[in-house]
Amino acid sequence: MKRRDFIKKGAGAGALALGVVGCGKEAEESANNTAAVASEAAGVMTAAPAVVSKTYEWKMVTTWPKNFPGLGSGAEFLAKLITEMSGGRLRVKVYGANELVPAFEIFDAVASGTAEMGHGGAYYWKGKDEAVQFFSTVPFGMTAQEMNAWLYYGGGMDLWKEVYEPFGLYPAAAGNTGVQMGGWFNKEINSVDDLKGLKMRIPGLGGEVLRRAGGTPVTLPGGEIFTSLQSGNIDATEWVGPYNDLAFGLYKAAKYYYYPGWHEPGATLECFTNKSALEALPADLQSIVINACRVANQDMLAEYTARNNDALNTLINDHGVDLRKYPDKVLEELRVLSAQVVSEVADKSPLAQRIYDSYTQFKQKAVAWHEVSERSYLNSR
Ligand code: CA
């Protein structure tokens, strides 16, 4: 039985499940409208027949502490959105880091079907495939606005799907922090030599750049950063930006707060789905999952943009944080190292090369346009 036939014939139950009160014709129009929204889901994958009365219970595992501002609350926002948009037909329950599985095991947990969704950052999975790092953030790379342009209109999403395909996962961008902060240090950074011997929590490609500069990068989940810094297990850390760094109390364990976050100029957060679980959903629920991620992606960036400056003022005025800009010379040297590190990822596989080419070519165009638009405007206001 075709989906439309089902809705037409089962007008009573179908109309109720869709939240439509009225005759069968209205229910059918509603179903057609829902199908029209399925821009990304359409033609991408198979879908279960639309049995509209069937409900689904999904688990979302995250790398963030439960309800942590921006990141954890972004995961909650997404889960709530999917549950609401589906009229309760797809209920998503969020598990914070270590509630169901440890933070850095969510990728495997969703791949194996222990949970249906995972919320994290793609660079945490570089051990699976180094190419994944292009889908979180690249040192001296694209901003949030530019990343979204590449993902949605520059071929980025198709490449991301290709990287996650062997793991049985379907990726989506589900948040962005905007430009992050450079990090917390207990000494001044006046030259790249000051980074030598420094054990710093810094994930992804930025971590590899620190290694080239003579430091030791460490990847820790958010929930372990403060204790590690306070106990001296690490000398320095980056985390996100003022809103999140204030919440973790990082100012209690380090004095100097450096900017800008050259290593994370617009970190994309992700929500990946077990592809089999996604394909088992009817087309309208698949569309809701995919498009709710798109809403969450934009919403998180808005929240960070709204909250960071107040948090920064609190850090400086109430907690005596010493705000410093990295010297230009330091940024120049890190930029040279970054270009080397990023280009070497391209050598890892033919797919990594294609992703690198796509990313760098798109970035050139975005930079050229933003010279004329964003940068010239920001410099002029
Ligand atoms: Ca970070």
Side-chain angles (χ1 to χ4, degrees):
M1 189 187 295
K2 283 182 181 171
R3 169 201 165 91
R4 190 184 297 179
D5 293 338
F6 175 87
I7 290 168
K8 207 184 275 180
K9 286 169 188 166
L16 278 176
L18 287 164
V20 176
V21 178
C23 68
K25 183 171 180 295
E26 282 169 344
E28 187 185 331
E29 281 170 359
S30 171
N32 287 341
N33 288 342
T34 308
V37 178
S39 53
E40 192 179 341
V44 170
M45 56 185 62
T46 57
V51 181
V52 288
S53 57
K54 184 170 180 185
T55 59
Y56 300 82
E57 306 270 338
W58 274 20
K59 299 182 196 73
M60 183 198 288
V61 286
T62 76
T63 58
W64 327 115
K66 181 85 173 165
N67 275 317
F68 187 72
L71 303 167
S73 61
E76 294 283 352
F77 173 81
L78 174 58
K80 188 163 173 278
L81 201 58
I82 292 170
T83 303
E84 281 178 7
M85 288 168 80
S86 68
R89 288 163 56 216
L90 174 53
R91 296 183 175 278
V92 182
K93 183 171 163 47
V94 179
Y95 294 84
N98 305 317
E99 281 192 320
L100 202 59
V101 294
F104 289 157
E105 288 178 22
I106 69 161
F107 191 91
D108 288 338
V110 178
S112 69
T114 300
E116 289 80 9
M117 305 185 97
H119 198 280
Y123 52 23
Y124 292 144
W125 325 123
K126 71 175 183 180
K128 304 287 183 190
D129 188 328
E130 294 224 21
V132 300
Q133 298 173 99
F134 285 100
F135 304 101
S136 47
T137 191
V138 171
F140 297 95
M142 291 196 271
T143 63
Q145 196 175 338
E146 293 162 351
M147 267 301 284
N148 288 329
W150 177 56
L151 290 174
Y152 296 145
Y153 291 96
M157 272 316 310
D158 286 340
L159 290 164
W160 195 355
K161 288 174 200 166
E162 202 174 330
V163 182
Y164 276 26
E165 173 74 39
F167 304 99
L169 296 174
Y170 189 90
N176 199 301
T177 62
V179 179
Q180 297 199 356
M181 288 294 284
W184 296 88
F185 300 85
N186 273 310
K187 66 174 190 177
E188 292 182 35
I189 306 298
N190 296 315
S191 75
V192 167
D193 282 348
D194 291 321
L195 297 173
K196 284 196 167 69
L198 203 70
K199 192 174 173 189
M200 179 173 181
R201 186 270 180 193
I202 173 170
L205 294 163
E208 189 52 35
V209 174
L210 178 75
R211 191 193 309 280
R212 302 288 169 96
T216 304
V218 178
T219 301
L220 291 172
E224 296 174 24
I225 295 175
F226 177 76
T227 311
S228 296
L229 186 61
Q230 201 176 38
S231 67
N233 278 343
I234 52 175
D235 305 312
T237 188
E238 70 81 55
W239 174 219
V240 182
Y243 181 42
N244 284 149
D245 296 6
L246 173 65
F248 266 168
L250 297 178
Y251 59 89
K252 295 177 202 160
K255 180 179 175 187
Y256 300 107
Y257 196 21
Y258 273 87
Y259 71 94
W262 56 270
H263 61 297
E264 298 203 55
T268 293
L269 288 314
E270 63 178 359
C271 181
F272 50 81
T273 306
N274 180 291
K275 200 158 177 277
S276 302
L278 186 62
E279 287 179 346
L281 298 176
D284 63 333
L285 291 186
Q286 288 185 15
S287 176
I288 285 170
V289 169
I290 290 164
N291 288 297
C293 287
R294 208 149 161 152
V295 172
N297 189 30
Q298 191 58 41
D299 187 80
M300 190 187 290
L301 180 62
E303 186 181 7
Y304 275 109
T305 306
R307 307 236 192 266
N308 270 327
N309 194 61
D310 287 345
L312 183 60
N313 284 337
T314 301
L315 285 168
I316 295 167
N317 299 328
D318 298 354
H319 300 298
V321 165
D322 196 337
L323 182 69
R324 301 286 182 98
K325 184 173 186 298
Y326 281 117
D328 289 344
K329 180 81 177 132
V330 171
L331 291 173
E332 276 170 38
E333 290 183 40
L334 291 173
R335 191 167 60 233
V336 171
L337 292 174
S338 295
Q340 292 168 7
V341 165
V342 176
S343 72
E344 285 169 21
V345 177
D347 300 333
K348 302 286 181 187
S349 70
L351 178 56
Q353 181 71 52
R354 281 197 288 126
I355 296 169
Y356 172 82
D357 289 345
S358 173
Y359 183 97
T360 49
Q361 285 163 19
F362 194 89
K363 183 188 157 198
Q364 280 174 8
K365 291 194 286 186
V367 167
W369 167 237
H370 277 170
E371 279 299 315
V372 173
S373 57
E374 302 288 329
R375 193 200 295 274
S376 67
Y377 172 68
L378 288 175
N379 287 346
S380 70
R381 81 176 176 188

